């Protein structure tokens, strides 16, 4: 695809240079400069359209063809927002969301649709989808479809822009986060289990104990640290580059570029997992730090039910709930709770919000605010060093 670069001309004025494929030149690229970003974007869209593979039909006149075109982009080369092919699981999700778009009885041809039609479609989604969040995801896909069509000149504009459904966050209610004392209790419970007089329990927790410590020290998702290879560690921390792809059938790249990140580790934790890997871990062709006994990756579900839940019980971190008229005792936390604990500890120690977003692997800082904003407010409220703007320099 063509790209745009800001440059300065001989007089020092800003120009916008478009680089595009041109097989007639020695370098394989051609260049054209424009005085405005608008003209440069129009020229780029024209060149991008020329680069669309011949096996993709650009004569798109209905929504079925539009969705098929978009899915092919996602599968092969990626969209303009994400310039790489999506994972097979993500593509499966996109195909499912696409069925809502193609199922809807669109009243006009693609080129004749206008923003009011998208508003009516949004209302239909809210009535049809299983949840508000599902409707939001489908509408988000439609946004991307129209954006790609507009960039390639297939439609005149992205008519879906500006039509949205407010996110129904799973964190609308404050997440349950282990306190420092509870986290300490979990670590102590894992120590006791690893030193159990029961040989089977001790052998099991020889692996689970460093996992629990490592999870708390990195804030990774369980599917990330269970897929962590030893070669992605260095003397100071962990390079997160891959994860177990749901439903656990293979190891793949992280879901997004933001998930590929670097997390500093505590020295003691690095020593612990290095010692475990070198002296106790099973042989793994994937070079995993915490492989199952057969060398494959561990099941997230097994770790939750057979490992973490046991530590919660040992630490006395259990809840009594009532479901379908029955009293149920279950763990207060899940392995994912350690990720929330990690973020809360960063906030408590004054790490800035942008750094927290990067360590957590959130694509959008708004996600970080949605989940942990209440902790930031509490941290500010409890600060003993609250000053006005003009007092900050004193």
């Amino acid at each position: 695809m063509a790209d745009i670069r800001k440059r300065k001309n001989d007089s020092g004025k800003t120009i916008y240079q478009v680089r595009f494929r041109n097989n007639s030149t020695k370098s394989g690229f051609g260049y054209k400069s424009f005085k405005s970003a608008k003209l440069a974007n129009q020229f780029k869209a024209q060149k991008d359209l020329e680069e669309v593979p011949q096996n993709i039909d650009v004569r798109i006149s209905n929504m079925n063809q539009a969705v098929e075109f978009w899915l092919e982009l996602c599968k092969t080369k990626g969209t303009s927002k994400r310039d790489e092919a999506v994972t097979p699981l993500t593509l499966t999700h996109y195909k499912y969301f696409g069925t809502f778009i193609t199922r809807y009885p669109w009243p006009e041809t693609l080129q004749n649709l206008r923003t009011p039609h998208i508003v009516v479609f949004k209302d239909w989604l809210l009535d049809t989808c299983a949840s508000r969040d599902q409707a939001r995801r489908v509408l988000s896909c439609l946004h991307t479809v129209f954006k790609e069509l507009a960039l390639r000149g297939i439609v005149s504009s992205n008519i879906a822009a500006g039509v949205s459904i407010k996110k129904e966050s799973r964190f609308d209610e404050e997440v349950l986060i282990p306190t420092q004392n509870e986290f300490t209790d979990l670590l102590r419970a894992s120590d006791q289990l690893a030193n159990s007089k029961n040989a089977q329990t001790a052998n099991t927790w020889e692996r689970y104990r460093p996992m629990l410590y490592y999870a708390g020290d990195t804030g990774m998702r369980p599917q990330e640290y269970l897929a962590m290879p030893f070669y992605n560690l260095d003397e100071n921390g962990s390079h997160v580059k891959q994860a177990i792809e749901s439903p656990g059938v293979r190891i793949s790249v992280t879901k997004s570029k933001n998930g590929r990140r670097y997390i500093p580790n505590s020295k003691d934790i690095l020593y612990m997992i290095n010692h475990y890997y070198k002296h106790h871990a099973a042989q793994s062709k994937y070079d995993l730090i915490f492989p199952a006994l057969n060398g494959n990756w561990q099941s997230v579900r097994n770790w939750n039910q057979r490992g973490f839940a046991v530590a919660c019980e040992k630490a006395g971190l259990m809840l009594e709930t009532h479901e379908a008229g029955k009293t149920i005792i279950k763990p207060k936390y899940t392995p994912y709770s350690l990720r929330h604990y990690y973020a809360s500890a960063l906030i408590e120690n004054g790490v800035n919000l942008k750094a927290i977003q990067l360590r957590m692997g959130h694509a959008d800082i708004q996600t970080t605010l949605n989940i942990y904003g209440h902790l930031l407010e509490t941290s500010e409220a409890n600060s003993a060093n609250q000053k006005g703007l003009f007092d900050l320099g004193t």
Side-chain angles (χ1 to χ4, degrees), residues 96-126:
Y96 175 67
F97 295 145
T99 62
F100 287 89
I101 300 173
T102 56
R103 201 171 85 210
Y104 178 73
W106 295 96
E108 299 285 348
T109 61
L110 193 65
Q111 285 74 15
N112 289 330
L113 288 173
R114 297 293 181 265
T115 300
H117 295 121
I118 307 302
V119 174
V120 176
F121 173 67
K122 180 195 79 170
D123 294 338
W124 178 83
L125 284 177
L126 290 171

PDB file of all heavy atoms in Angstrom, residues 96-126:
ATOM      1  N   TYR A  96     -18.316 -14.186  12.149  1.00  0.00           N
ATOM      2  CA  TYR A  96     -19.582 -14.270  12.877  1.00  0.00           C
ATOM      3  C   TYR A  96     -20.258 -12.899  12.940  1.00  0.00           C
ATOM      4  O   TYR A  96     -21.462 -12.771  12.682  1.00  0.00           O
ATOM      5  CB  TYR A  96     -19.343 -14.805  14.283  1.00  0.00           C
ATOM      6  CG  TYR A  96     -20.582 -14.809  15.151  1.00  0.00           C
ATOM      7  CD1 TYR A  96     -21.657 -15.657  14.864  1.00  0.00           C
ATOM      8  CD2 TYR A  96     -20.680 -13.954  16.241  1.00  0.00           C
ATOM      9  CE1 TYR A  96     -22.802 -15.656  15.639  1.00  0.00           C
ATOM     10  CE2 TYR A  96     -21.817 -13.940  17.031  1.00  0.00           C
ATOM     11  CZ  TYR A  96     -22.876 -14.795  16.723  1.00  0.00           C
ATOM     12  OH  TYR A  96     -24.009 -14.779  17.500  1.00  0.00           O
ATOM     13  N   PHE A  97     -19.485 -11.857  13.272  1.00  0.00           N
ATOM     14  CA  PHE A  97     -20.055 -10.514  13.325  1.00  0.00           C
ATOM     15  C   PHE A  97     -20.554 -10.086  11.948  1.00  0.00           C
ATOM     16  O   PHE A  97     -21.550  -9.368  11.833  1.00  0.00           O
ATOM     17  CB  PHE A  97     -19.016  -9.517  13.847  1.00  0.00           C
ATOM     18  CG  PHE A  97     -18.597  -9.762  15.271  1.00  0.00           C
ATOM     19  CD1 PHE A  97     -17.294  -9.515  15.673  1.00  0.00           C
ATOM     20  CD2 PHE A  97     -19.492 -10.249  16.210  1.00  0.00           C
ATOM     21  CE1 PHE A  97     -16.899  -9.738  16.984  1.00  0.00           C
ATOM     22  CE2 PHE A  97     -19.113 -10.480  17.523  1.00  0.00           C
ATOM     23  CZ  PHE A  97     -17.808 -10.218  17.907  1.00  0.00           C
ATOM     24  N   GLY A  98     -19.845 -10.541  10.911  1.00  0.00           N
ATOM     25  CA  GLY A  98     -20.249 -10.194   9.555  1.00  0.00           C
ATOM     26  C   GLY A  98     -21.601 -10.760   9.176  1.00  0.00           C
ATOM     27  O   GLY A  98     -22.315 -10.185   8.337  1.00  0.00           O
ATOM     28  N   THR A  99     -21.992 -11.866   9.803  1.00  0.00           N
ATOM     29  CA  THR A  99     -23.297 -12.456   9.471  1.00  0.00           C
ATOM     30  C   THR A  99     -24.447 -11.538   9.873  1.00  0.00           C
ATOM     31  O   THR A  99     -25.498 -11.535   9.230  1.00  0.00           O
ATOM     32  CB  THR A  99     -23.481 -13.831  10.161  1.00  0.00           C
ATOM     33  OG1 THR A  99     -23.437 -13.658  11.590  1.00  0.00           O
ATOM     34  CG2 THR A  99     -22.406 -14.806   9.728  1.00  0.00           C
ATOM     35  N   PHE A 100     -24.253 -10.743  10.913  1.00  0.00           N
ATOM     36  CA  PHE A 100     -25.288  -9.783  11.301  1.00  0.00           C
ATOM     37  C   PHE A 100     -25.428  -8.688  10.238  1.00  0.00           C
ATOM     38  O   PHE A 100     -26.533  -8.252   9.925  1.00  0.00           O
ATOM     39  CB  PHE A 100     -24.947  -9.142  12.655  1.00  0.00           C
ATOM     40  CG  PHE A 100     -25.133 -10.057  13.830  1.00  0.00           C
ATOM     41  CD1 PHE A 100     -24.095 -10.876  14.259  1.00  0.00           C
ATOM     42  CD2 PHE A 100     -26.348 -10.116  14.500  1.00  0.00           C
ATOM     43  CE1 PHE A 100     -24.254 -11.717  15.345  1.00  0.00           C
ATOM     44  CE2 PHE A 100     -26.522 -10.969  15.595  1.00  0.00           C
ATOM     45  CZ  PHE A 100     -25.472 -11.775  16.007  1.00  0.00           C
ATOM     46  N   ILE A 101     -24.276  -8.269   9.698  1.00  0.00           N
ATOM     47  CA  ILE A 101     -24.295  -7.200   8.689  1.00  0.00           C
ATOM     48  C   ILE A 101     -24.968  -7.678   7.415  1.00  0.00           C
ATOM     49  O   ILE A 101     -25.766  -6.954   6.812  1.00  0.00           O
ATOM     50  CB  ILE A 101     -22.855  -6.720   8.402  1.00  0.00           C
ATOM     51  CG1 ILE A 101     -22.199  -6.187   9.684  1.00  0.00           C
ATOM     52  CG2 ILE A 101     -22.855  -5.654   7.316  1.00  0.00           C
ATOM     53  CD1 ILE A 101     -20.730  -5.842   9.531  1.00  0.00           C
ATOM     54  N   THR A 102     -24.666  -8.913   6.997  1.00  0.00           N
ATOM     55  CA  THR A 102     -25.229  -9.416   5.747  1.00  0.00           C
ATOM     56  C   THR A 102     -26.675  -9.872   5.893  1.00  0.00           C
ATOM     57  O   THR A 102     -27.419  -9.929   4.913  1.00  0.00           O
ATOM     58  CB  THR A 102     -24.376 -10.582   5.217  1.00  0.00           C
ATOM     59  OG1 THR A 102     -24.279 -11.611   6.220  1.00  0.00           O
ATOM     60  CG2 THR A 102     -22.968 -10.104   4.872  1.00  0.00           C
ATOM     61  N   ARG A 103     -27.066 -10.189   7.128  1.00  0.00           N
ATOM     62  CA  ARG A 103     -28.430 -10.651   7.366  1.00  0.00           C
ATOM     63  C   ARG A 103     -29.444  -9.502   7.370  1.00  0.00           C
ATOM     64  O   ARG A 103     -30.615  -9.693   7.093  1.00  0.00           O
ATOM     65  CB  ARG A 103     -28.468 -11.380   8.727  1.00  0.00           C
ATOM     66  CG  ARG A 103     -29.635 -12.333   8.898  1.00  0.00           C
ATOM     67  CD  ARG A 103     -29.450 -13.141  10.163  1.00  0.00           C
ATOM     68  NE  ARG A 103     -29.945 -12.446  11.339  1.00  0.00           N
ATOM     69  CZ  ARG A 103     -29.449 -12.595  12.561  1.00  0.00           C
ATOM     70  NH1 ARG A 103     -28.420 -13.386  12.759  1.00  0.00           N
ATOM     71  NH2 ARG A 103     -29.964 -11.954  13.586  1.00  0.00           N
ATOM     72  N   TYR A 104     -28.948  -8.327   7.675  1.00  0.00           N
ATOM     73  CA  TYR A 104     -29.841  -7.166   7.765  1.00  0.00           C
ATOM     74  C   TYR A 104     -30.367  -6.798   6.371  1.00  0.00           C
ATOM     75  O   TYR A 104     -29.608  -6.790   5.394  1.00  0.00           O
ATOM     76  CB  TYR A 104     -29.091  -5.986   8.368  1.00  0.00           C
ATOM     77  CG  TYR A 104     -29.904  -4.722   8.471  1.00  0.00           C
ATOM     78  CD1 TYR A 104     -30.913  -4.584   9.415  1.00  0.00           C
ATOM     79  CD2 TYR A 104     -29.666  -3.656   7.604  1.00  0.00           C
ATOM     80  CE1 TYR A 104     -31.659  -3.429   9.511  1.00  0.00           C
ATOM     81  CE2 TYR A 104     -30.402  -2.483   7.690  1.00  0.00           C
ATOM     82  CZ  TYR A 104     -31.397  -2.376   8.645  1.00  0.00           C
ATOM     83  OH  TYR A 104     -32.142  -1.223   8.727  1.00  0.00           O
ATOM     84  N   PRO A 105     -31.671  -6.475   6.242  1.00  0.00           N
ATOM     85  CA  PRO A 105     -32.250  -6.113   4.938  1.00  0.00           C
ATOM     86  C   PRO A 105     -31.926  -4.671   4.545  1.00  0.00           C
ATOM     87  O   PRO A 105     -32.743  -3.765   4.737  1.00  0.00           O
ATOM     88  CB  PRO A 105     -33.752  -6.315   5.169  1.00  0.00           C
ATOM     89  CG  PRO A 105     -33.948  -6.044   6.631  1.00  0.00           C
ATOM     90  CD  PRO A 105     -32.701  -6.565   7.315  1.00  0.00           C
ATOM     91  N   TRP A 106     -30.749  -4.445   3.997  1.00  0.00           N
ATOM     92  CA  TRP A 106     -30.344  -3.089   3.618  1.00  0.00           C
ATOM     93  C   TRP A 106     -31.268  -2.563   2.511  1.00  0.00           C
ATOM     94  O   TRP A 106     -31.483  -3.241   1.508  1.00  0.00           O
ATOM     95  CB  TRP A 106     -28.890  -3.080   3.143  1.00  0.00           C
ATOM     96  CG  TRP A 106     -27.936  -3.445   4.238  1.00  0.00           C
ATOM     97  CD1 TRP A 106     -27.409  -4.668   4.507  1.00  0.00           C
ATOM     98  CD2 TRP A 106     -27.438  -2.563   5.246  1.00  0.00           C
ATOM     99  NE1 TRP A 106     -26.600  -4.617   5.605  1.00  0.00           N
ATOM    100  CE2 TRP A 106     -26.594  -3.329   6.095  1.00  0.00           C
ATOM    101  CE3 TRP A 106     -27.619  -1.210   5.521  1.00  0.00           C
ATOM    102  CZ2 TRP A 106     -25.941  -2.785   7.184  1.00  0.00           C
ATOM    103  CZ3 TRP A 106     -26.949  -0.658   6.616  1.00  0.00           C
ATOM    104  CH2 TRP A 106     -26.127  -1.441   7.440  1.00  0.00           C
ATOM    105  N   PRO A 107     -31.796  -1.347   2.662  1.00  0.00           N
ATOM    106  CA  PRO A 107     -32.806  -0.856   1.725  1.00  0.00           C
ATOM    107  C   PRO A 107     -32.242  -0.259   0.438  1.00  0.00           C
ATOM    108  O   PRO A 107     -32.999  -0.009  -0.502  1.00  0.00           O
ATOM    109  CB  PRO A 107     -33.529   0.228   2.537  1.00  0.00           C
ATOM    110  CG  PRO A 107     -32.472   0.750   3.460  1.00  0.00           C
ATOM    111  CD  PRO A 107     -31.619  -0.438   3.808  1.00  0.00           C
ATOM    112  N   GLU A 108     -30.920  -0.015   0.396  1.00  0.00           N
ATOM    113  CA  GLU A 108     -30.311   0.627  -0.773  1.00  0.00           C
ATOM    114  C   GLU A 108     -29.057  -0.132  -1.181  1.00  0.00           C
ATOM    115  O   GLU A 108     -28.530  -0.963  -0.436  1.00  0.00           O
ATOM    116  CB  GLU A 108     -29.941   2.082  -0.451  1.00  0.00           C
ATOM    117  CG  GLU A 108     -31.105   2.969  -0.066  1.00  0.00           C
ATOM    118  CD  GLU A 108     -31.954   3.361  -1.257  1.00  0.00           C
ATOM    119  OE1 GLU A 108     -31.511   3.133  -2.402  1.00  0.00           O
ATOM    120  OE2 GLU A 108     -33.065   3.890  -1.058  1.00  0.00           O
ATOM    121  N   THR A 109     -28.589   0.163  -2.401  1.00  0.00           N
ATOM    122  CA  THR A 109     -27.295  -0.362  -2.817  1.00  0.00           C
ATOM    123  C   THR A 109     -26.210   0.280  -1.969  1.00  0.00           C
ATOM    124  O   THR A 109     -26.442   1.317  -1.320  1.00  0.00           O
ATOM    125  CB  THR A 109     -27.029  -0.062  -4.300  1.00  0.00           C
ATOM    126  OG1 THR A 109     -27.017   1.364  -4.485  1.00  0.00           O
ATOM    127  CG2 THR A 109     -28.078  -0.704  -5.194  1.00  0.00           C
ATOM    128  N   LEU A 110     -25.058  -0.293  -1.974  1.00  0.00           N
ATOM    129  CA  LEU A 110     -23.967   0.166  -1.111  1.00  0.00           C
ATOM    130  C   LEU A 110     -23.667   1.650  -1.325  1.00  0.00           C
ATOM    131  O   LEU A 110     -23.541   2.423  -0.373  1.00  0.00           O
ATOM    132  CB  LEU A 110     -22.719  -0.673  -1.395  1.00  0.00           C
ATOM    133  CG  LEU A 110     -21.582  -0.554  -0.390  1.00  0.00           C
ATOM    134  CD1 LEU A 110     -22.007  -1.094   0.961  1.00  0.00           C
ATOM    135  CD2 LEU A 110     -20.362  -1.299  -0.901  1.00  0.00           C
ATOM    136  N   GLN A 111     -23.570   2.066  -2.580  1.00  0.00           N
ATOM    137  CA  GLN A 111     -23.195   3.451  -2.887  1.00  0.00           C
ATOM    138  C   GLN A 111     -24.303   4.443  -2.553  1.00  0.00           C
ATOM    139  O   GLN A 111     -24.034   5.647  -2.428  1.00  0.00           O
ATOM    140  CB  GLN A 111     -22.804   3.574  -4.367  1.00  0.00           C
ATOM    141  CG  GLN A 111     -21.430   3.010  -4.706  1.00  0.00           C
ATOM    142  CD  GLN A 111     -21.393   1.483  -4.705  1.00  0.00           C
ATOM    143  OE1 GLN A 111     -22.447   0.843  -4.728  1.00  0.00           O
ATOM    144  NE2 GLN A 111     -20.193   0.902  -4.686  1.00  0.00           N
ATOM    145  N   ASN A 112     -25.533   3.969  -2.392  1.00  0.00           N
ATOM    146  CA  ASN A 112     -26.646   4.868  -2.087  1.00  0.00           C
ATOM    147  C   ASN A 112     -26.995   4.927  -0.602  1.00  0.00           C
ATOM    148  O   ASN A 112     -27.894   5.669  -0.200  1.00  0.00           O
ATOM    149  CB  ASN A 112     -27.897   4.445  -2.871  1.00  0.00           C
ATOM    150  CG  ASN A 112     -27.767   4.739  -4.352  1.00  0.00           C
ATOM    151  OD1 ASN A 112     -27.077   5.687  -4.749  1.00  0.00           O
ATOM    152  ND2 ASN A 112     -28.401   3.924  -5.181  1.00  0.00           N
ATOM    153  N   LEU A 113     -26.313   4.158   0.199  1.00  0.00           N
ATOM    154  CA  LEU A 113     -26.564   4.193   1.633  1.00  0.00           C
ATOM    155  C   LEU A 113     -26.059   5.511   2.226  1.00  0.00           C
ATOM    156  O   LEU A 113     -25.060   6.064   1.778  1.00  0.00           O
ATOM    157  CB  LEU A 113     -25.879   3.024   2.330  1.00  0.00           C
ATOM    158  CG  LEU A 113     -26.484   1.639   2.093  1.00  0.00           C
ATOM    159  CD1 LEU A 113     -25.586   0.559   2.702  1.00  0.00           C
ATOM    160  CD2 LEU A 113     -27.889   1.544   2.677  1.00  0.00           C
ATOM    161  N   ARG A 114     -26.755   5.989   3.270  1.00  0.00           N
ATOM    162  CA  ARG A 114     -26.378   7.217   3.947  1.00  0.00           C
ATOM    163  C   ARG A 114     -26.369   6.981   5.464  1.00  0.00           C
ATOM    164  O   ARG A 114     -26.858   5.964   5.954  1.00  0.00           O
ATOM    165  CB  ARG A 114     -27.348   8.354   3.588  1.00  0.00           C
ATOM    166  CG  ARG A 114     -27.353   8.719   2.106  1.00  0.00           C
ATOM    167  CD  ARG A 114     -26.026   9.330   1.683  1.00  0.00           C
ATOM    168  NE  ARG A 114     -26.017   9.704   0.275  1.00  0.00           N
ATOM    169  CZ  ARG A 114     -25.540   8.925  -0.696  1.00  0.00           C
ATOM    170  NH1 ARG A 114     -25.039   7.724  -0.390  1.00  0.00           N
ATOM    171  NH2 ARG A 114     -25.550   9.330  -1.947  1.00  0.00           N
ATOM    172  N   THR A 115     -25.859   7.943   6.193  1.00  0.00           N
ATOM    173  CA  THR A 115     -25.722   7.794   7.645  1.00  0.00           C
ATOM    174  C   THR A 115     -27.025   7.439   8.347  1.00  0.00           C
ATOM    175  O   THR A 115     -27.023   6.597   9.260  1.00  0.00           O
ATOM    176  CB  THR A 115     -25.119   9.077   8.258  1.00  0.00           C
ATOM    177  OG1 THR A 115     -23.819   9.307   7.680  1.00  0.00           O
ATOM    178  CG2 THR A 115     -24.976   8.946   9.770  1.00  0.00           C
ATOM    179  N   PRO A 116     -28.185   8.020   7.980  1.00  0.00           N
ATOM    180  CA  PRO A 116     -29.434   7.616   8.649  1.00  0.00           C
ATOM    181  C   PRO A 116     -29.715   6.113   8.538  1.00  0.00           C
ATOM    182  O   PRO A 116     -30.310   5.529   9.449  1.00  0.00           O
ATOM    183  CB  PRO A 116     -30.502   8.434   7.920  1.00  0.00           C
ATOM    184  CG  PRO A 116     -29.777   9.662   7.473  1.00  0.00           C
ATOM    185  CD  PRO A 116     -28.413   9.184   7.099  1.00  0.00           C
ATOM    186  N   HIS A 117     -29.283   5.481   7.419  1.00  0.00           N
ATOM    187  CA  HIS A 117     -29.468   4.032   7.289  1.00  0.00           C
ATOM    188  C   HIS A 117     -28.643   3.291   8.347  1.00  0.00           C
ATOM    189  O   HIS A 117     -29.070   2.261   8.873  1.00  0.00           O
ATOM    190  CB  HIS A 117     -29.041   3.561   5.893  1.00  0.00           C
ATOM    191  CG  HIS A 117     -29.894   4.096   4.788  1.00  0.00           C
ATOM    192  ND1 HIS A 117     -29.404   4.856   3.761  1.00  0.00           N
ATOM    193  CD2 HIS A 117     -31.231   3.992   4.561  1.00  0.00           C
ATOM    194  CE1 HIS A 117     -30.386   5.178   2.932  1.00  0.00           C
ATOM    195  NE2 HIS A 117     -31.506   4.669   3.408  1.00  0.00           N
ATOM    196  N   ILE A 118     -27.471   3.822   8.672  1.00  0.00           N
ATOM    197  CA  ILE A 118     -26.605   3.193   9.677  1.00  0.00           C
ATOM    198  C   ILE A 118     -27.227   3.335  11.062  1.00  0.00           C
ATOM    199  O   ILE A 118     -27.139   2.430  11.897  1.00  0.00           O
ATOM    200  CB  ILE A 118     -25.191   3.813   9.653  1.00  0.00           C
ATOM    201  CG1 ILE A 118     -24.614   3.784   8.226  1.00  0.00           C
ATOM    202  CG2 ILE A 118     -24.269   3.069  10.611  1.00  0.00           C
ATOM    203  CD1 ILE A 118     -24.521   2.401   7.629  1.00  0.00           C
ATOM    204  N   VAL A 119     -27.870   4.472  11.300  1.00  0.00           N
ATOM    205  CA  VAL A 119     -28.530   4.682  12.589  1.00  0.00           C
ATOM    206  C   VAL A 119     -29.658   3.667  12.783  1.00  0.00           C
ATOM    207  O   VAL A 119     -29.807   3.081  13.862  1.00  0.00           O
ATOM    208  CB  VAL A 119     -29.084   6.119  12.674  1.00  0.00           C
ATOM    209  CG1 VAL A 119     -29.899   6.295  13.965  1.00  0.00           C
ATOM    210  CG2 VAL A 119     -27.945   7.138  12.626  1.00  0.00           C
ATOM    211  N   VAL A 120     -30.436   3.423  11.726  1.00  0.00           N
ATOM    212  CA  VAL A 120     -31.514   2.434  11.807  1.00  0.00           C
ATOM    213  C   VAL A 120     -30.929   1.036  12.018  1.00  0.00           C
ATOM    214  O   VAL A 120     -31.465   0.228  12.777  1.00  0.00           O
ATOM    215  CB  VAL A 120     -32.386   2.474  10.534  1.00  0.00           C
ATOM    216  CG1 VAL A 120     -33.453   1.374  10.572  1.00  0.00           C
ATOM    217  CG2 VAL A 120     -33.045   3.839  10.390  1.00  0.00           C
ATOM    218  N   PHE A 121     -29.805   0.750  11.339  1.00  0.00           N
ATOM    219  CA  PHE A 121     -29.128  -0.538  11.514  1.00  0.00           C
ATOM    220  C   PHE A 121     -28.665  -0.703  12.953  1.00  0.00           C
ATOM    221  O   PHE A 121     -28.783  -1.783  13.553  1.00  0.00           O
ATOM    222  CB  PHE A 121     -27.939  -0.637  10.561  1.00  0.00           C
ATOM    223  CG  PHE A 121     -27.080  -1.851  10.775  1.00  0.00           C
ATOM    224  CD1 PHE A 121     -27.562  -3.128  10.509  1.00  0.00           C
ATOM    225  CD2 PHE A 121     -25.775  -1.726  11.255  1.00  0.00           C
ATOM    226  CE1 PHE A 121     -26.764  -4.257  10.715  1.00  0.00           C
ATOM    227  CE2 PHE A 121     -24.977  -2.840  11.447  1.00  0.00           C
ATOM    228  CZ  PHE A 121     -25.473  -4.106  11.182  1.00  0.00           C
ATOM    229  N   LYS A 122     -28.163   0.371  13.549  1.00  0.00           N
ATOM    230  CA  LYS A 122     -27.723   0.323  14.952  1.00  0.00           C
ATOM    231  C   LYS A 122     -28.900  -0.059  15.864  1.00  0.00           C
ATOM    232  O   LYS A 122     -28.750  -0.904  16.761  1.00  0.00           O
ATOM    233  CB  LYS A 122     -27.159   1.677  15.369  1.00  0.00           C
ATOM    234  CG  LYS A 122     -26.676   1.723  16.819  1.00  0.00           C
ATOM    235  CD  LYS A 122     -26.457   3.128  17.309  1.00  0.00           C
ATOM    236  CE  LYS A 122     -27.793   3.772  17.680  1.00  0.00           C
ATOM    237  NZ  LYS A 122     -27.628   5.059  18.395  1.00  0.00           N
ATOM    238  N   ASP A 123     -30.047   0.559  15.630  1.00  0.00           N
ATOM    239  CA  ASP A 123     -31.224   0.234  16.434  1.00  0.00           C
ATOM    240  C   ASP A 123     -31.620  -1.241  16.269  1.00  0.00           C
ATOM    241  O   ASP A 123     -32.025  -1.905  17.228  1.00  0.00           O
ATOM    242  CB  ASP A 123     -32.399   1.135  16.039  1.00  0.00           C
ATOM    243  CG  ASP A 123     -32.144   2.605  16.376  1.00  0.00           C
ATOM    244  OD1 ASP A 123     -31.295   2.858  17.249  1.00  0.00           O
ATOM    245  OD2 ASP A 123     -32.786   3.475  15.748  1.00  0.00           O
ATOM    246  N   TRP A 124     -31.497  -1.726  15.036  1.00  0.00           N
ATOM    247  CA  TRP A 124     -31.817  -3.136  14.766  1.00  0.00           C
ATOM    248  C   TRP A 124     -30.862  -4.057  15.518  1.00  0.00           C
ATOM    249  O   TRP A 124     -31.274  -5.080  16.070  1.00  0.00           O
ATOM    250  CB  TRP A 124     -31.733  -3.391  13.256  1.00  0.00           C
ATOM    251  CG  TRP A 124     -31.986  -4.809  12.853  1.00  0.00           C
ATOM    252  CD1 TRP A 124     -33.184  -5.419  12.659  1.00  0.00           C
ATOM    253  CD2 TRP A 124     -30.990  -5.826  12.584  1.00  0.00           C
ATOM    254  NE1 TRP A 124     -33.016  -6.734  12.288  1.00  0.00           N
ATOM    255  CE2 TRP A 124     -31.673  -7.017  12.228  1.00  0.00           C
ATOM    256  CE3 TRP A 124     -29.601  -5.839  12.597  1.00  0.00           C
ATOM    257  CZ2 TRP A 124     -31.012  -8.193  11.905  1.00  0.00           C
ATOM    258  CZ3 TRP A 124     -28.934  -7.012  12.277  1.00  0.00           C
ATOM    259  CH2 TRP A 124     -29.636  -8.176  11.929  1.00  0.00           C
ATOM    260  N   LEU A 125     -29.595  -3.687  15.562  1.00  0.00           N
ATOM    261  CA  LEU A 125     -28.607  -4.488  16.288  1.00  0.00           C
ATOM    262  C   LEU A 125     -28.964  -4.572  17.771  1.00  0.00           C
ATOM    263  O   LEU A 125     -28.883  -5.635  18.388  1.00  0.00           O
ATOM    264  CB  LEU A 125     -27.212  -3.882  16.138  1.00  0.00           C
ATOM    265  CG  LEU A 125     -26.493  -4.078  14.810  1.00  0.00           C
ATOM    266  CD1 LEU A 125     -25.157  -3.332  14.821  1.00  0.00           C
ATOM    267  CD2 LEU A 125     -26.255  -5.558  14.529  1.00  0.00           C
ATOM    268  N   LEU A 126     -29.332  -3.442  18.353  1.00  0.00           N
ATOM    269  CA  LEU A 126     -29.660  -3.418  19.774  1.00  0.00           C
ATOM    270  C   LEU A 126     -30.866  -4.303  20.096  1.00  0.00           C
ATOM    271  O   LEU A 126     -30.966  -4.855  21.195  1.00  0.00           O
ATOM    272  CB  LEU A 126     -29.922  -1.978  20.230  1.00  0.00           C
ATOM    273  CG  LEU A 126     -28.682  -1.065  20.264  1.00  0.00           C
ATOM    274  CD1 LEU A 126     -29.092   0.379  20.499  1.00  0.00           C
ATOM    275  CD2 LEU A 126     -27.700  -1.521  21.322  1.00  0.00           C
TER     276      LEU A 126
END
